[in-house]
Amino acid sequence: DRKSTRLNSSHDYMSYAVLCLKHKRLERLRDVALNAYQVAHNPLTHLLARDAFKRQLKNSIKQLDNKSSETEDIQDVTIPKSLAVLAIDIDHFKQINDTWGHLYGDLVLKTLGMRLDGCAKSISSETIEDTEIYLGHPSGEEFLIILSANASKSQFEEWADTFRKHIGDMVLPNENEWQELSRNQETATLTPPLIHERKVTISVGLAFHTKNAQSTTTNDLAANLLDRADTALYRAKTSGRDRVISYDDILSKFGRIIEYHSETGVVALDIGSNVGVALGQEFKVFSQTFSGEKKFQVSDGRTRRTLGTYPKVESARIVTFDTQPEISFAYVASPTDRTPSIEPGSHLESIPVGSIGHLLPSSSR
């Protein structure tokens, strides 16, 4: 009996020791997993941090390009899978921090991350094809999104605008979101701004991934894609904010006149070779009033009423003779017997290279 008792005690001790060892291993694995998660995610919004987002972007590009190489010889009627990056920035976020404090600003960032995540899940659930969406929050008011789907460019643009509307069409945070946020002890005593003062909008830059033979590495492709999305975002912010602008549309629709020297006929443009401006590139010029976008309004002293829109009237045509990365210079090319009036801020509309647009007269003139 004593021998049996000693054996049982020894067995119990060994079992206990094994259990302790397993517990310590589980604790180490938990700590490793927790540390990995904290490194890979923004601590405020729990979206992908900068480095983790870049790794995911490289993986998404690699998977897409490998899949494209495997199927490029196969005729398929379906739309091929494409990839785009959305660069997002909160409009006037500094003003939010300066007015309501950084603690409230953090709540705005957290709520915006939740909104973007909810919108991403909604888009994924509504699409028939396999759609992949990854959200990133590198820092501050900057957010990034990877969109990969069997969809056209117009569909990607529509999704980008869905994200924008999901933020700007409702107050942020709304009452339900504020109640959720107030469960945190640090914010329970914080008084929120009035409903009408919680208006938050975002600007969005959109860039599409295209296979580039000159870019030999995935790192180059990812970096170029992020740069193009950031360029489009900058254009969205300088064009009035609260809008989506695609990098592919900057050259054709979103260039502006910086200066016009009437004595030399030289015009400075705010777009350059980084968005595709080439030597000899031709543009139509439209003043801000007659760009087809400005509303025609009248006032009776108490209220203003919109009657319509000013027509789109071409004021000049120009052709570039010097291009630099972020600026270009052009001569006035319009055959006219008068000096054209070209205002700073005038809109540009590119005439595609190789077209006969430059041979056609201006119907408005």
Side-chain angles (χ1 to χ4, degrees):
D1 291 338
R2 291 179 179 177
K3 184 177 181 181
S4 176
T5 301
R6 287 198 300 271
L7 288 174
N8 290 335
S9 298
S10 176
H11 180 268
D12 291 342
Y13 176 79
M14 291 298 294
S15 299
Y16 177 75
V18 170
L19 286 174
C20 288
L21 182 60
K22 288 182 177 180
H23 181 70
K24 289 182 179 179
R25 287 177 177 174
L26 288 174
E27 284 186 333
R28 284 198 297 268
L29 290 173
R30 182 200 62 188
D31 291 342
V32 169
L34 181 60
N35 290 335
Y37 180 87
Q38 291 174 341
V39 169
H41 294 79
N42 186 289
L44 181 64
T45 60
H46 299 287
L47 303 181
L48 292 176
R50 185 182 302 276
D51 291 342
F53 184 88
K54 288 182 178 179
R55 286 195 297 271
Q56 181 57 58
L57 178 58
K58 294 172 188 176
N59 290 336
S60 296
I61 290 174
K62 188 178 298 184
Q63 291 174 6
L64 181 66
D65 288 351
N66 289 341
K67 185 175 181 180
S68 299
S69 300
E70 294 171 1
T71 60
E72 60 185 3
D73 296 329
I74 301 175
Q75 297 295 325
D76 195 345
V77 295
T78 61
I79 301 175
K81 196 161 191 177
S82 301
L83 185 146
V85 166
L86 279 62
I88 296 173
D89 196 84
I90 301 177
D91 299 328
H92 305 296
F93 184 67
K94 184 178 184 301
Q95 184 176 334
I96 295 175
N97 274 336
D98 291 346
T99 304
W100 306 109
H102 289 272
L103 180 57
Y104 178 75
D106 285 348
L107 295 182
V108 169
L109 293 172
K110 189 171 183 176
T111 308
L112 192 138
M114 293 163 53
R115 286 266 188 99
L116 293 178
D117 185 55
C119 186
K121 291 176 180 176
S122 177
I123 291 173
S124 297
S125 65
E126 292 173 359
T127 54
I128 299 175
E129 299 291 343
D130 184 25
T131 301
E132 298 178 4
I133 305 178
Y134 300 95
L135 307 179
H137 182 195
S139 63
E141 66 268 36
E142 176 189 4
F143 291 80
L144 294 168
I145 300 177
I146 300 170
L147 269 172
S148 181
N150 295 81
S152 63
K153 285 190 174 183
S154 61
Q155 179 63 74
F156 278 95
E157 291 170 352
E158 183 178 327
W159 284 332
D161 204 50
T162 298
F163 280 108
R164 181 190 66 82
K165 291 179 179 177
H166 212 68
I167 301 301
D169 285 359
M170 298 180 286
V171 295
L172 187 149
N174 60 33
E175 287 304 307
N176 290 334
E177 290 165 338
W178 184 258
Q179 292 299 324
E180 182 68 25
L181 294 168
S182 297
R183 295 179 182 179
N184 188 317
Q185 292 182 352
E186 294 181 1
T187 59
T189 59
L190 186 66
T191 302
L194 298 175
I195 286 290
H196 70 275
E197 296 176 315
R198 299 187 210 171
K199 178 70 173 178
V200 176
T201 62
I202 58 174
S203 298
V204 184
L206 174 64
F208 295 96
H209 164 61
T210 54
K211 296 184 70 174
N212 187 346
Q214 294 180 348
S215 296
T216 57
T217 68
T218 305
N219 288 345
D220 292 338
L221 293 170
N224 290 338
L225 184 56
L226 288 171
D227 285 344
R228 292 197 299 272
D230 193 58
T231 298
L233 171 61
Y234 172 78
R235 186 63 50 172
K237 295 185 77 68
T238 57
S239 298
R241 296 181 171 86
D242 189 21
R243 64 189 62 201
V244 176
I245 288 184
S246 171
Y247 176 86
D248 294 346
D249 292 334
I250 295 175
L251 175 64
S252 60
K253 296 189 293 186
F254 294 106
R256 298 292 183 265
I257 299 292
I258 303 175
E259 291 181 350
Y260 172 52
H261 299 268
S262 57
E263 65 277 9
T264 60
V266 174
V267 185
L269 320 181
D270 70 348
I271 51 177
S273 57
N274 63 347
V275 297
V277 178
L279 291 176
Q281 179 75 56
E282 296 177 89
F283 294 92
K284 297 178 183 180
V285 181
F286 301 91
S287 70
Q288 295 184 70
T289 300
F290 292 99
S291 62
E293 298 179 3
K294 186 175 180 179
K295 302 299 181 183
F296 190 102
Q297 296 179 324
V298 294
S299 173
D300 60 5
R302 292 178 299 176
T303 60
R304 295 184 65 84
R305 188 163 66 96
T306 299
L307 298 181
T309 305
Y310 282 93
K312 190 173 183 179
V313 181
E314 179 184 324
S315 58
R317 296 192 187 187
I318 59 176
V319 56
T320 58
F321 67 89
D322 182 275
T323 60
Q324 300 171 31
E326 297 184 6
I327 193 172
S328 301
F329 295 90
Y331 284 125
V332 176
S334 304
T336 178
D337 56 358
R338 63 178 176 83
T339 302
S341 176
I342 301 179
E343 307 165 355
S346 293
H347 297 211
L348 299 174
E349 185 177 294
S350 67
I351 300 174
V353 176
S355 74
I356 61 171
H358 64 289
L359 301 176
L360 303 177
S362 168
S363 59
S364 58
R365 184 182 300 115

mmCIF file of all heavy atoms in Angstrom, residues 308-344:
data_model
loop_
_atom_site.group_PDB
_atom_site.id
_atom_site.type_symbol
_atom_site.label_atom_id
_atom_site.label_comp_id
_atom_site.label_asym_id
_atom_site.label_seq_id
_atom_site.Cartn_x
_atom_site.Cartn_y
_atom_site.Cartn_z
ATOM 1 N N GLY A 308 -29.814 77.999 -62.083
ATOM 2 C CA GLY A 308 -29.219 77.051 -63.011
ATOM 3 C C GLY A 308 -27.715 77.004 -62.832
ATOM 4 O O GLY A 308 -27.193 77.300 -61.749
ATOM 5 N N THR A 309 -27.015 76.685 -63.892
ATOM 6 C CA THR A 309 -25.559 76.557 -63.861
ATOM 7 C C THR A 309 -24.950 77.355 -65.003
ATOM 8 O O THR A 309 -25.473 77.334 -66.126
ATOM 9 C CB THR A 309 -25.142 75.080 -63.994
ATOM 10 O OG1 THR A 309 -25.797 74.312 -62.986
ATOM 11 C CG2 THR A 309 -23.639 74.920 -63.846
ATOM 12 N N TYR A 310 -23.864 78.059 -64.724
ATOM 13 C CA TYR A 310 -23.154 78.764 -65.795
ATOM 14 C C TYR A 310 -22.704 77.750 -66.852
ATOM 15 O O TYR A 310 -22.250 76.654 -66.508
ATOM 16 C CB TYR A 310 -21.921 79.478 -65.248
ATOM 17 C CG TYR A 310 -22.209 80.775 -64.527
ATOM 18 C CD1 TYR A 310 -22.386 80.791 -63.146
ATOM 19 C CD2 TYR A 310 -22.297 81.976 -65.218
ATOM 20 C CE1 TYR A 310 -22.646 81.980 -62.466
ATOM 21 C CE2 TYR A 310 -22.547 83.168 -64.554
ATOM 22 C CZ TYR A 310 -22.724 83.160 -63.183
ATOM 23 O OH TYR A 310 -22.975 84.334 -62.521
ATOM 24 N N PRO A 311 -22.786 78.091 -68.137
ATOM 25 C CA PRO A 311 -22.385 77.138 -69.183
ATOM 26 C C PRO A 311 -20.873 76.925 -69.201
ATOM 27 O O PRO A 311 -20.105 77.710 -68.634
ATOM 28 C CB PRO A 311 -22.859 77.809 -70.472
ATOM 29 C CG PRO A 311 -22.820 79.274 -70.151
ATOM 30 C CD PRO A 311 -23.238 79.375 -68.703
ATOM 31 N N LYS A 312 -20.464 75.872 -69.849
ATOM 32 C CA LYS A 312 -19.048 75.557 -69.998
ATOM 33 C C LYS A 312 -18.541 76.242 -71.264
ATOM 34 O O LYS A 312 -18.948 75.894 -72.370
ATOM 35 C CB LYS A 312 -18.857 74.036 -70.081
ATOM 36 C CG LYS A 312 -17.413 73.579 -70.002
ATOM 37 C CD LYS A 312 -17.360 72.059 -69.932
ATOM 38 C CE LYS A 312 -15.934 71.551 -69.766
ATOM 39 N NZ LYS A 312 -15.879 70.075 -69.673
ATOM 40 N N VAL A 313 -17.664 77.226 -71.094
ATOM 41 C CA VAL A 313 -17.176 78.024 -72.216
ATOM 42 C C VAL A 313 -15.652 78.008 -72.221
ATOM 43 O O VAL A 313 -15.011 78.425 -71.252
ATOM 44 C CB VAL A 313 -17.683 79.481 -72.128
ATOM 45 C CG1 VAL A 313 -17.178 80.283 -73.331
ATOM 46 C CG2 VAL A 313 -19.198 79.515 -72.060
ATOM 47 N N GLU A 314 -15.089 77.534 -73.289
ATOM 48 C CA GLU A 314 -13.633 77.465 -73.420
ATOM 49 C C GLU A 314 -13.061 78.859 -73.611
ATOM 50 O O GLU A 314 -13.521 79.624 -74.461
ATOM 51 C CB GLU A 314 -13.287 76.577 -74.611
ATOM 52 C CG GLU A 314 -11.807 76.426 -74.876
ATOM 53 C CD GLU A 314 -11.548 75.617 -76.134
ATOM 54 O OE1 GLU A 314 -12.309 74.668 -76.409
ATOM 55 O OE2 GLU A 314 -10.584 75.947 -76.859
ATOM 56 N N SER A 315 -12.034 79.201 -72.819
ATOM 57 C CA SER A 315 -11.422 80.526 -72.923
ATOM 58 C C SER A 315 -10.118 80.510 -73.706
ATOM 59 O O SER A 315 -9.692 81.546 -74.217
ATOM 60 C CB SER A 315 -11.180 81.108 -71.532
ATOM 61 O OG SER A 315 -10.341 80.255 -70.760
ATOM 62 N N ALA A 316 -9.460 79.368 -73.782
ATOM 63 C CA ALA A 316 -8.194 79.286 -74.519
ATOM 64 C C ALA A 316 -7.781 77.834 -74.656
ATOM 65 O O ALA A 316 -8.369 76.935 -74.035
ATOM 66 C CB ALA A 316 -7.100 80.075 -73.804
ATOM 67 N N ARG A 317 -6.769 77.623 -75.497
ATOM 68 C CA ARG A 317 -6.117 76.322 -75.590
ATOM 69 C C ARG A 317 -4.624 76.541 -75.433
ATOM 70 O O ARG A 317 -4.067 77.529 -75.920
ATOM 71 C CB ARG A 317 -6.423 75.639 -76.923
ATOM 72 C CG ARG A 317 -7.898 75.313 -77.080
ATOM 73 C CD ARG A 317 -8.177 74.392 -78.240
ATOM 74 N NE ARG A 317 -9.615 74.258 -78.439
ATOM 75 C CZ ARG A 317 -10.180 73.420 -79.299
ATOM 76 N NH1 ARG A 317 -9.421 72.641 -80.043
ATOM 77 N NH2 ARG A 317 -11.483 73.365 -79.419
ATOM 78 N N ILE A 318 -3.975 75.619 -74.744
ATOM 79 C CA ILE A 318 -2.557 75.765 -74.463
ATOM 80 C C ILE A 318 -1.838 74.457 -74.787
ATOM 81 O O ILE A 318 -2.455 73.388 -74.827
ATOM 82 C CB ILE A 318 -2.308 76.141 -72.992
ATOM 83 C CG1 ILE A 318 -2.891 75.079 -72.052
ATOM 84 C CG2 ILE A 318 -2.913 77.510 -72.678
ATOM 85 C CD1 ILE A 318 -2.607 75.333 -70.575
ATOM 86 N N VAL A 319 -0.522 74.562 -75.024
ATOM 87 C CA VAL A 319 0.296 73.379 -75.307
ATOM 88 C C VAL A 319 1.576 73.470 -74.487
ATOM 89 O O VAL A 319 2.228 74.522 -74.440
ATOM 90 C CB VAL A 319 0.605 73.257 -76.816
ATOM 91 C CG1 VAL A 319 1.282 74.517 -77.348
ATOM 92 C CG2 VAL A 319 1.457 72.024 -77.102
ATOM 93 N N THR A 320 1.942 72.391 -73.810
ATOM 94 C CA THR A 320 3.099 72.411 -72.907
ATOM 95 C C THR A 320 4.412 72.361 -73.686
ATOM 96 O O THR A 320 4.525 71.678 -74.701
ATOM 97 C CB THR A 320 3.049 71.221 -71.937
ATOM 98 O OG1 THR A 320 3.016 70.000 -72.678
ATOM 99 C CG2 THR A 320 1.811 71.293 -71.060
ATOM 100 N N PHE A 321 5.386 73.101 -73.177
ATOM 101 C CA PHE A 321 6.729 73.067 -73.756
ATOM 102 C C PHE A 321 7.789 72.725 -72.711
ATOM 103 O O PHE A 321 8.946 72.494 -73.043
ATOM 104 C CB PHE A 321 7.069 74.409 -74.411
ATOM 105 C CG PHE A 321 7.199 75.556 -73.443
ATOM 106 C CD1 PHE A 321 8.425 75.848 -72.840
ATOM 107 C CD2 PHE A 321 6.105 76.342 -73.136
ATOM 108 C CE1 PHE A 321 8.544 76.897 -71.947
ATOM 109 C CE2 PHE A 321 6.226 77.397 -72.238
ATOM 110 C CZ PHE A 321 7.437 77.676 -71.636
ATOM 111 N N ASP A 322 7.407 72.672 -71.432
ATOM 112 C CA ASP A 322 8.340 72.314 -70.357
ATOM 113 C C ASP A 322 7.564 71.577 -69.272
ATOM 114 O O ASP A 322 6.559 72.090 -68.770
ATOM 115 C CB ASP A 322 8.984 73.572 -69.769
ATOM 116 C CG ASP A 322 10.010 73.241 -68.685
ATOM 117 O OD1 ASP A 322 9.593 73.065 -67.518
ATOM 118 O OD2 ASP A 322 11.203 73.156 -68.993
ATOM 119 N N THR A 323 8.029 70.372 -68.939
ATOM 120 C CA THR A 323 7.352 69.590 -67.898
ATOM 121 C C THR A 323 8.342 69.210 -66.814
ATOM 122 O O THR A 323 9.470 68.791 -67.096
ATOM 123 C CB THR A 323 6.724 68.303 -68.472
ATOM 124 O OG1 THR A 323 7.760 67.492 -69.049
ATOM 125 C CG2 THR A 323 5.678 68.620 -69.528
ATOM 126 N N GLN A 324 7.931 69.370 -65.570
ATOM 127 C CA GLN A 324 8.683 68.970 -64.406
ATOM 128 C C GLN A 324 7.776 68.081 -63.556
ATOM 129 O O GLN A 324 6.576 67.975 -63.840
ATOM 130 C CB GLN A 324 9.142 70.214 -63.641
ATOM 131 C CG GLN A 324 10.034 71.138 -64.476
ATOM 132 C CD GLN A 324 10.304 72.469 -63.812
ATOM 133 O OE1 GLN A 324 10.363 72.569 -62.594
ATOM 134 N NE2 GLN A 324 10.473 73.509 -64.628
ATOM 135 N N PRO A 325 8.313 67.406 -62.533
ATOM 136 C CA PRO A 325 7.480 66.447 -61.797
ATOM 137 C C PRO A 325 6.153 67.008 -61.297
ATOM 138 O O PRO A 325 5.121 66.353 -61.412
ATOM 139 C CB PRO A 325 8.384 66.011 -60.642
ATOM 140 C CG PRO A 325 9.772 66.160 -61.192
ATOM 141 C CD PRO A 325 9.724 67.361 -62.079
ATOM 142 N N GLU A 326 6.152 68.242 -60.740
ATOM 143 C CA GLU A 326 4.926 68.756 -60.128
ATOM 144 C C GLU A 326 4.424 70.047 -60.764
ATOM 145 O O GLU A 326 3.469 70.648 -60.269
ATOM 146 C CB GLU A 326 5.154 68.986 -58.623
ATOM 147 C CG GLU A 326 5.466 67.705 -57.867
ATOM 148 C CD GLU A 326 5.591 67.932 -56.361
ATOM 149 O OE1 GLU A 326 5.329 69.064 -55.908
ATOM 150 O OE2 GLU A 326 5.945 66.976 -55.658
ATOM 151 N N ILE A 327 5.019 70.463 -61.871
ATOM 152 C CA ILE A 327 4.599 71.699 -62.522
ATOM 153 C C ILE A 327 4.929 71.615 -64.001
ATOM 154 O O ILE A 327 5.847 70.891 -64.403
ATOM 155 C CB ILE A 327 5.297 72.928 -61.878
ATOM 156 C CG1 ILE A 327 4.645 74.224 -62.328
ATOM 157 C CG2 ILE A 327 6.793 72.911 -62.156
ATOM 158 C CD1 ILE A 327 5.165 75.443 -61.590
ATOM 159 N N SER A 328 4.164 72.329 -64.811
ATOM 160 C CA SER A 328 4.415 72.385 -66.253
ATOM 161 C C SER A 328 4.213 73.810 -66.733
ATOM 162 O O SER A 328 3.529 74.615 -66.082
ATOM 163 C CB SER A 328 3.462 71.448 -67.011
ATOM 164 O OG SER A 328 3.591 70.126 -66.593
ATOM 165 N N PHE A 329 4.809 74.099 -67.908
ATOM 166 C CA PHE A 329 4.654 75.418 -68.528
ATOM 167 C C PHE A 329 4.165 75.229 -69.957
ATOM 168 O O PHE A 329 4.559 74.281 -70.642
ATOM 169 C CB PHE A 329 5.972 76.191 -68.506
ATOM 170 C CG PHE A 329 6.437 76.535 -67.121
ATOM 171 C CD1 PHE A 329 7.255 75.670 -66.416
ATOM 172 C CD2 PHE A 329 6.025 77.715 -66.508
ATOM 173 C CE1 PHE A 329 7.681 75.976 -65.126
ATOM 174 C CE2 PHE A 329 6.446 78.030 -65.220
ATOM 175 C CZ PHE A 329 7.268 77.162 -64.530
ATOM 176 N N ALA A 330 3.298 76.145 -70.388
ATOM 177 C CA ALA A 330 2.687 76.006 -71.701
ATOM 178 C C ALA A 330 2.566 77.365 -72.373
ATOM 179 O O ALA A 330 2.598 78.420 -71.712
ATOM 180 C CB ALA A 330 1.309 75.363 -71.557
ATOM 181 N N TYR A 331 2.446 77.338 -73.707
ATOM 182 C CA TYR A 331 2.136 78.524 -74.493
ATOM 183 C C TYR A 331 0.664 78.521 -74.855
ATOM 184 O O TYR A 331 0.043 77.457 -74.980
ATOM 185 C CB TYR A 331 2.947 78.535 -75.788
ATOM 186 C CG TYR A 331 4.399 78.925 -75.629
ATOM 187 C CD1 TYR A 331 5.416 78.091 -76.080
ATOM 188 C CD2 TYR A 331 4.750 80.152 -75.054
ATOM 189 C CE1 TYR A 331 6.750 78.449 -75.948
ATOM 190 C CE2 TYR A 331 6.084 80.514 -74.917
ATOM 191 C CZ TYR A 331 7.079 79.662 -75.365
ATOM 192 O OH TYR A 331 8.389 80.019 -75.226
ATOM 193 N N VAL A 332 0.107 79.704 -75.011
ATOM 194 C CA VAL A 332 -1.253 79.806 -75.514
ATOM 195 C C VAL A 332 -1.233 79.450 -76.989
ATOM 196 O O VAL A 332 -0.466 80.003 -77.773
ATOM 197 C CB VAL A 332 -1.814 81.231 -75.319
ATOM 198 C CG1 VAL A 332 -3.205 81.347 -75.932
ATOM 199 C CG2 VAL A 332 -1.861 81.571 -73.839
ATOM 200 N N ALA A 333 -2.060 78.502 -77.375
ATOM 201 C CA ALA A 333 -2.055 78.005 -78.752
ATOM 202 C C ALA A 333 -3.316 78.373 -79.505
ATOM 203 O O ALA A 333 -3.457 78.039 -80.673
ATOM 204 C CB ALA A 333 -1.897 76.481 -78.751
ATOM 205 N N SER A 334 -4.260 79.060 -78.861
ATOM 206 C CA SER A 334 -5.525 79.379 -79.508
ATOM 207 C C SER A 334 -5.326 80.423 -80.604
ATOM 208 O O SER A 334 -4.758 81.485 -80.353
ATOM 209 C CB SER A 334 -6.530 79.918 -78.495
ATOM 210 O OG SER A 334 -6.714 79.000 -77.449
ATOM 211 N N PRO A 335 -5.752 80.145 -81.826
ATOM 212 C CA PRO A 335 -5.696 81.169 -82.874
ATOM 213 C C PRO A 335 -6.793 82.206 -82.627
ATOM 214 O O PRO A 335 -7.967 81.934 -82.772
ATOM 215 C CB PRO A 335 -5.959 80.376 -84.155
ATOM 216 C CG PRO A 335 -6.755 79.186 -83.703
ATOM 217 C CD PRO A 335 -6.331 78.887 -82.307
ATOM 218 N N THR A 336 -6.408 83.376 -82.177
ATOM 219 C CA THR A 336 -7.399 84.402 -81.857
ATOM 220 C C THR A 336 -6.801 85.778 -82.114
ATOM 221 O O THR A 336 -5.584 85.963 -82.085
ATOM 222 C CB THR A 336 -7.839 84.296 -80.388
ATOM 223 O OG1 THR A 336 -8.766 85.339 -80.109
ATOM 224 C CG2 THR A 336 -6.681 84.406 -79.427
ATOM 225 N N ASP A 337 -7.666 86.727 -82.369
ATOM 226 C CA ASP A 337 -7.208 88.086 -82.633
ATOM 227 C C ASP A 337 -7.186 88.942 -81.377
ATOM 228 O O ASP A 337 -6.987 90.141 -81.422
ATOM 229 C CB ASP A 337 -8.095 88.745 -83.691
ATOM 230 C CG ASP A 337 -9.569 88.730 -83.287
ATOM 231 O OD1 ASP A 337 -9.864 88.171 -82.222
ATOM 232 O OD2 ASP A 337 -10.400 89.259 -84.059
ATOM 233 N N ARG A 338 -7.383 88.328 -80.248
ATOM 234 C CA ARG A 338 -7.356 89.064 -78.991
ATOM 235 C C ARG A 338 -6.541 88.283 -77.968
ATOM 236 O O ARG A 338 -6.376 87.070 -78.073
ATOM 237 C CB ARG A 338 -8.772 89.293 -78.459
ATOM 238 C CG ARG A 338 -9.506 88.005 -78.129
ATOM 239 C CD ARG A 338 -10.893 88.275 -77.565
ATOM 240 N NE ARG A 338 -11.624 87.031 -77.344
ATOM 241 C CZ ARG A 338 -11.501 86.274 -76.269
ATOM 242 N NH1 ARG A 338 -10.658 86.632 -75.310
ATOM 243 N NH2 ARG A 338 -12.203 85.157 -76.135
ATOM 244 N N THR A 339 -6.028 88.980 -76.965
ATOM 245 C CA THR A 339 -5.296 88.319 -75.901
ATOM 246 C C THR A 339 -6.289 87.608 -74.988
ATOM 247 O O THR A 339 -7.202 88.248 -74.464
ATOM 248 C CB THR A 339 -4.491 89.337 -75.077
ATOM 249 O OG1 THR A 339 -3.599 90.033 -75.929
ATOM 250 C CG2 THR A 339 -3.714 88.637 -73.972
ATOM 251 N N PRO A 340 -6.156 86.304 -74.824
ATOM 252 C CA PRO A 340 -7.137 85.583 -74.007
ATOM 253 C C PRO A 340 -7.030 85.975 -72.532
ATOM 254 O O PRO A 340 -5.955 86.327 -72.047
ATOM 255 C CB PRO A 340 -6.763 84.119 -74.219
ATOM 256 C CG PRO A 340 -5.315 84.144 -74.571
ATOM 257 C CD PRO A 340 -5.115 85.411 -75.347
ATOM 258 N N SER A 341 -8.144 85.909 -71.851
ATOM 259 C CA SER A 341 -8.165 86.172 -70.404
ATOM 260 C C SER A 341 -8.095 84.833 -69.676
ATOM 261 O O SER A 341 -9.049 84.053 -69.700
ATOM 262 C CB SER A 341 -9.448 86.919 -70.026
ATOM 263 O OG SER A 341 -9.528 87.088 -68.630
ATOM 264 N N ILE A 342 -6.946 84.563 -69.076
ATOM 265 C CA ILE A 342 -6.740 83.298 -68.367
ATOM 266 C C ILE A 342 -6.514 83.605 -66.899
ATOM 267 O O ILE A 342 -5.522 84.228 -66.526
ATOM 268 C CB ILE A 342 -5.545 82.521 -68.951
ATOM 269 C CG1 ILE A 342 -5.776 82.229 -70.433
ATOM 270 C CG2 ILE A 342 -5.328 81.228 -68.178
ATOM 271 C CD1 ILE A 342 -4.648 81.483 -71.103
ATOM 272 N N GLU A 343 -7.450 83.187 -66.064
ATOM 273 C CA GLU A 343 -7.395 83.495 -64.639
ATOM 274 C C GLU A 343 -6.686 82.374 -63.878
ATOM 275 O O GLU A 343 -6.847 81.202 -64.215
ATOM 276 C CB GLU A 343 -8.806 83.655 -64.078
ATOM 277 C CG GLU A 343 -9.667 84.642 -64.838
ATOM 278 C CD GLU A 343 -11.127 84.489 -64.464
ATOM 279 O OE1 GLU A 343 -11.451 83.549 -63.695
ATOM 280 O OE2 GLU A 343 -11.942 85.309 -64.940
ATOM 281 N N PRO A 344 -5.915 82.717 -62.845
ATOM 282 C CA PRO A 344 -5.397 81.666 -61.952
ATOM 283 C C PRO A 344 -6.559 80.872 -61.366
ATOM 284 O O PRO A 344 -7.584 81.432 -60.992
ATOM 285 C CB PRO A 344 -4.667 82.463 -60.866
ATOM 286 C CG PRO A 344 -4.284 83.746 -61.533
ATOM 287 C CD PRO A 344 -5.411 84.056 -62.468
#
